[in-house]
Amino acid sequence: MDNIVQVFSTNTAWYILLATSFLGGILASISPCSLAMLPLIVGYVGGYSQETPFRTFLQLIFFIFGTAIVFTIIGVVCALTGSVFASAFGAYFTLIIASFLMIMGLKLVRLLDFEIPVIIKSMPTNKTNSLFVYPVLLGITFALAGTPCSTPILAGIMAFAAIGKNLWLAILMLFLFALGQGTILIIAGLFTSGLKNMKSLARFTEILLKISGVLLIAVAIFFYWRVFAPLF
């Protein structure tokens, strides 16, 4: 377990994990099912009313702030629990994380098909057209609800955050994931006419999702190897 942690303790690994977290957020947001939700999210945030681009932009920024709050807390929990469980269970904790990554990877490549539970079934509508409070609350709700497409990628990032046992790295990873998701949301909100063009990316994101799944599987196999190699 300590050798694996050392792999994620180098400066190069920091940059890779942070960049991967941001790109993971972008990839999760342009997956087919996430793209289908974008008009709904923009409508909820904007209160289904005609807004000026600047006001819509501010509402989306506060929406992303709400999601970032939740993901940052998740980052803290991952780092703290990862430290505790790694100390208590050692190699067993690594095997749990590896199995978790393997399952999420197999789901992304569609070798496993199962429903991921959604905590919250629907989001409250911003009927009062609030600029700050409702968008933040909606962002928190959306982050807690999750989507079937983003959850495997988010789960993988959470696993890396837990193994790293570095509090600030874990916070930054989950925060950057939220920003990655928000980037596409802002583009969709400000340039809704371009949303149809983004939907044409669906077939390419399917390929990227499968590549992500293969990478998660490869990392899981690496973790298994690091645990079992000394036994042979």
Side-chain angles (χ1 to χ4, degrees):
M1 177 65 188
D2 291 336
N3 291 334
I4 294 176
V5 172
Q6 289 175 4
V7 172
F8 295 99
S9 299
T10 63
N11 289 334
T12 302
W14 268 60
Y15 299 138
I16 293 174
L17 288 174
L18 293 177
T20 301
S21 298
F22 181 74
L23 292 174
I26 292 178
L27 180 59
S29 66
I30 61 174
S31 59
C33 60
S34 295
L35 282 176
M37 289 183 64
L38 286 182
L40 181 64
I41 294 171
V42 173
Y44 269 109
V45 174
Y48 292 99
S49 62
Q50 297 295 325
E51 296 290 343
T52 63
F54 181 70
R55 185 177 178 85
T56 301
F57 174 76
L58 287 179
Q59 288 176 316
L60 291 173
I61 288 293
F62 289 128
F63 176 87
I64 295 166
F65 177 70
T67 64
I69 290 174
V70 174
F71 289 135
T72 299
I73 293 173
I74 290 175
V76 172
V77 172
C78 287
L80 295 180
T81 56
S83 180
V84 170
F85 280 98
S87 300
F89 299 102
Y92 294 106
F93 177 69
T94 304
L95 291 176
I96 292 172
I97 293 296
S99 301
F100 188 61
L101 290 174
M102 179 66 74
I103 292 171
M104 291 299 110
L106 290 173
K107 177 170 176 57
L108 284 175
V109 299
R110 297 185 182 278
L111 291 179
L112 283 181
D113 187 16
F114 56 90
E115 293 295 326
I116 297 176
V118 176
I119 299 175
I120 298 174
K121 298 297 183 182
S122 62
M123 294 185 292
T125 306
N126 186 8
K127 294 180 179 179
T128 61
N129 200 21
S130 169
L131 181 64
F132 172 75
V133 176
Y134 269 97
V136 171
L137 292 176
L138 288 168
I140 292 173
T141 303
F142 175 76
L144 289 174
T147 63
C149 287
S150 64
T151 301
I153 298 174
L154 174 61
I157 294 173
M158 289 168 57
F160 286 119
I163 282 186
K165 298 191 298 183
N166 184 311
L167 180 61
W168 291 109
L169 177 60
I171 290 174
L172 282 174
M173 287 175 65
L174 274 300
F175 180 76
L176 286 173
F177 177 84
L179 290 185
Q181 277 195 318
T183 299
I184 301 301
L185 180 60
I186 289 177
I187 293 174
L190 296 181
F191 307 101
T192 49
S193 61
L195 188 58
K196 293 180 180 179
N197 295 328
M198 281 197 290
K199 287 184 178 180
S200 66
L201 294 174
R203 63 180 182 274
F204 297 108
T205 56
E206 282 283 0
I207 296 173
L208 291 176
L209 286 171
K210 290 182 179 180
I211 292 174
S212 300
V214 171
L215 291 175
L216 287 181
I217 292 170
V219 172
I221 293 173
F222 170 73
F223 286 168
Y224 285 133
W225 177 77
R226 293 300 293 263
V227 172
F228 292 113
L231 301 178
F232 298 97

